[in-house]
Amino acid sequence: MTGKALVTAFSLIGLLGLWIVAATLTADATILPTPLALVGPFLQELQSGELLFHLGQTLLRVVWAFVLAMGIGLALGLLMGRFPAVDRWLDPWLVVFLNLPALVLIVLCYLWIGLNETAAILAVTLNKVPNVTTMIREGARSFDPNLDAMAKVYRMPASTRLRHVLLPQLAPFIAAAARSGIAVIWKIVLVVEFLGRSSGIGFKIHLYFQLFDVRMVLIYALSFIIVMLVVEWSLLQPWERRVRRWRTA
Amino acid sequence: MVAAATLGAARAALAHRMIRVDITRKAYGRTPVLGRIAFEIRRGETVAILGPSGIGKSTLLRLIAGIDSKFDGHIERPDKMAIVFQEPTLLLWRSVLQNLTLVHPDLSEHAALAMLDKVGIAGKAEMFPGQLSLGQQRRLALARAFAGDPAFLIMDEPFVSLDPKTAEGMLALTEALIAEVRPATLFVTHARSEAERLHARILELRGTPAALAPRLVTGKERP
């Protein structure tokens, strides 16, 4: 375990080293500043509250879109996996939405709904729902028929069945959907902010892109990457460990 | 024969709540699997369905349990049912104790622990089923079946693929639990010795589509 952590640490230090070498070779701070050159402006943004405000805005949008996409995807996936008739009807829609570029959905949402929060979150959610649905459907198709029969004969109430029989079987699929979901969603949120919001990391990146300020683009992007890593380590991974406990016990 | 059975049934039904099976046909697509099958089970009675593999025993059992409702005919069964499958079919992600209390919400923790004690896995309540041996998992499945005080117990080859000693232990345990709870019991097996051991009335499934063979059959008659 410590050996694995050590490798991770050295690997990241290697990446940092590569950056320093590249920055030294470029020798132009307006194109690629060294990591050290970012520390000062970073602290300044942090103290002014600007960085935290925009991080919060983006995080809020990520949470909304994540919860909505997982909720809708879970319900649709379960329905489609359990009822072949529903699957036959909805599958073509799924294929259409899976192949719709994120950008098209974002632009259409803004055009139809307006440049507002609803359109932004809806656009991100719609981009992620088909993915979650596909994964959950796969899980729902692999339910153990004997457990279904058991629950039926013993007349377990629907809510107990869902919580203690079905969802635990889906856990690996939910975890996979959540993991890939969170990774994709925050990137789409940035695009949505870039195109039509006046707050958030994406908005700041848009602003500094227009000013050709590589330094600030890097500061905002890296800050949010760190936030997402913290979410992964402090929420997602412990949850996964907890639901997997019975496998390793 | 049908008339006699109906008469007997009417009389018995007055005295006991009973399980009444009257299947006229079950087919998968165009292939008929089960023909006319009619019998009854009284409270406290054990009925064994015997027949070679692939004859349709499990299909019949799924109809009677209400797992599969696509067939021609009529089945009367009580609300409180229990089932034991070939496999333990446990909730591997919940503790041994929860495997009883989640399936039977009315069961107190105390009663659940007593049930675990009865089947000989008292110390395992907080473990996950995956930490038990296969024999212990089957005992848990048995505990789950009897914990709800079922009026009707269905068992699908519950002693198959166990070594003789474990199978004997399970049979003895099942026998004792049946004697205590006295449910109407239906069990499916291909081993006549198991059926005789549980003092079961034996019904034989034969032919395609499968039907109940006449009651008085000797070994010589069978191909």
Side-chain angles (χ1 to χ4, degrees):
Chain A
M1 192 65 205
T2 41
K4 223 172 118 190
L6 220 63
V7 171
T8 308
F10 273 116
S11 164
L12 285 175
I13 289 169
L15 186 63
L16 207 64
L18 191 69
W19 179 357
I20 293 170
V21 170
T24 317
L25 288 178
T26 317
D28 184 350
T30 57
I31 293 173
L32 185 59
T34 63
L36 265 178
L38 298 183
V39 174
F42 169 76
L43 289 175
Q44 212 176 335
E45 290 291 303
L46 199 62
Q47 267 159 4
S48 71
E50 189 83 342
L51 180 66
L52 287 180
F53 170 74
H54 292 288
L55 273 178
Q57 288 291 307
T58 300
L59 201 59
L60 198 65
R61 287 180 189 124
V62 168
V63 168
W64 265 107
F66 179 77
V67 169
L68 284 172
M70 288 299 289
I72 298 169
L74 194 62
L76 276 177
L78 261 174
L79 272 174
M80 292 175 75
R82 294 285 270 181
F83 304 104
V86 179
D87 189 41
R88 273 195 294 279
W89 278 97
L90 286 186
D91 188 58
W93 291 37
L94 199 61
V95 176
V96 169
F97 276 88
L98 270 172
N99 287 293
L100 207 58
L103 195 60
V104 174
L105 263 174
I106 296 167
V107 169
L108 285 178
C109 277
Y110 276 146
L111 286 175
W112 288 336
I113 301 170
L115 284 173
N116 54 39
E117 209 59 33
T118 314
I121 287 167
L122 189 70
V124 182
T125 305
L126 284 179
N127 267 304
K128 192 54 204 167
V129 165
N131 260 309
V132 178
T133 306
T134 318
M135 285 191 203
I136 300 297
R137 180 177 62 178
E138 223 42 64
R141 279 173 177 166
S142 65
F143 280 143
D144 179 356
N146 275 338
L147 278 177
D148 260 0
M150 187 278 289
K152 197 167 177 180
V153 173
Y154 285 101
R155 314 213 168 187
M156 289 173 79
S159 57
T160 314
R161 220 187 275 198
L162 183 69
R163 196 169 146 217
H164 300 289
V165 183
L166 298 183
L167 287 183
Q169 293 184 70
L170 271 187
F173 297 89
I174 296 173
R179 161 100 13 103
S180 79
I182 211 131
V184 171
I185 280 173
W186 86 262
K187 287 164 198 163
I188 304 177
V189 165
L190 254 57
V191 178
V192 166
E193 289 171 346
F194 192 103
L195 289 175
R197 297 277 68 214
S198 49
S199 64
I201 304 296
F203 161 73
K204 289 302 262 188
I205 289 175
H206 191 185
L207 181 74
Y208 290 115
F209 164 66
Q210 286 169 325
L211 299 174
F212 293 103
D213 191 338
V214 178
R215 213 177 39 171
M216 295 306 279
V217 168
L218 283 175
I219 285 172
Y220 273 91
L222 289 176
S223 304
F224 201 70
I225 289 173
I226 290 165
V227 169
M228 291 321 288
L229 283 179
V230 170
V231 168
E232 162 93 20
W233 286 329
S234 64
L235 294 175
L236 223 50
Q237 286 189 3
W239 173 76
E240 224 183 327
R241 269 199 295 279
R242 208 171 66 86
V243 299
R244 284 178 56 92
R245 209 167 29 123
W246 64 274
R247 288 178 194 276
T248 48
Chain B
M1 196 190 105
V2 174
T6 318
L7 249 176
R11 219 173 322 146
L14 289 174
H16 304 282
R17 277 181 71 197
M18 62 187 330
I19 288 89
R20 192 170 296 158
V21 177
D22 188 355
I23 296 162
T24 45
R25 187 172 179 273
K26 165 69 185 176
Y28 287 121
R30 289 169 153 260
T31 321
V33 182
L34 301 177
R36 177 74 202 274
I37 294 172
F39 63 92
E40 287 159 349
I41 312 171
R42 285 187 301 277
R43 179 164 170 81
E45 186 185 22
T46 301
V47 169
I49 306 237
L50 233 66
S53 299
I55 190 84
K57 296 192 298 285
S58 288
T59 304
L60 175 60
L61 184 139
R62 292 173 64 82
L63 298 189
I64 296 173
I67 298 164
D68 183 354
S69 55
K70 288 185 197 123
F71 68 99
D72 299 331
H74 184 73
I75 294 170
E76 270 174 46
R77 58 176 92 79
D79 283 345
K80 281 177 92 176
M81 294 199 296
I83 192 162
V84 179
F85 296 94
Q86 285 183 29
E87 300 297 320
T89 318
L90 302 165
L91 304 175
L92 297 174
W93 38 84
R94 296 289 182 263
S95 74
V96 166
L97 186 69
Q98 281 180 303
N99 264 277
L100 297 187
T101 53
L102 285 173
V103 175
H104 307 292
D106 299 334
L107 192 70
S108 71
E109 196 175 309
H110 183 74
L113 286 170
M115 196 67 216
L116 290 179
D117 189 33
K118 212 173 275 177
V119 301
I121 48 172
K124 316 278 185 190
E126 295 309 316
M127 287 186 165
F128 286 112
Q131 294 169 281
L132 306 181
S133 71
L134 183 61
Q136 289 170 331
Q137 290 188 19
R138 298 226 187 183
R139 282 165 182 271
L140 177 55
L142 218 51
R144 178 177 65 188
F146 284 98
D149 191 19
F152 184 22
L153 169 68
I154 300 165
M155 297 192 285
D156 185 6
E157 305 244 17
F159 314 115
V160 82
S161 73
L162 287 175
D163 60 85
K165 207 176 134 218
T166 318
E168 173 50 37
M170 283 287 288
L171 264 164
L173 183 60
T174 309
E175 199 182 357
L177 286 168
I178 287 178
E180 188 188 324
V181 180
R182 287 185 53 74
T185 307
L186 174 73
F187 93 104
V188 152
T189 179
H190 59 260
R192 184 175 283 272
S193 59
E194 285 175 6
E196 283 166 355
R197 177 73 205 283
L198 291 179
H199 316 293
R201 174 156 66 96
I202 295 172
L203 302 176
E204 289 206 37
L205 266 191
R206 281 211 251 154
T208 19
L212 290 181
R215 247 180 230 166
L216 296 168
V217 239
T218 64
K220 284 172 207 152
E221 275 180 60
R222 296 165 64 207

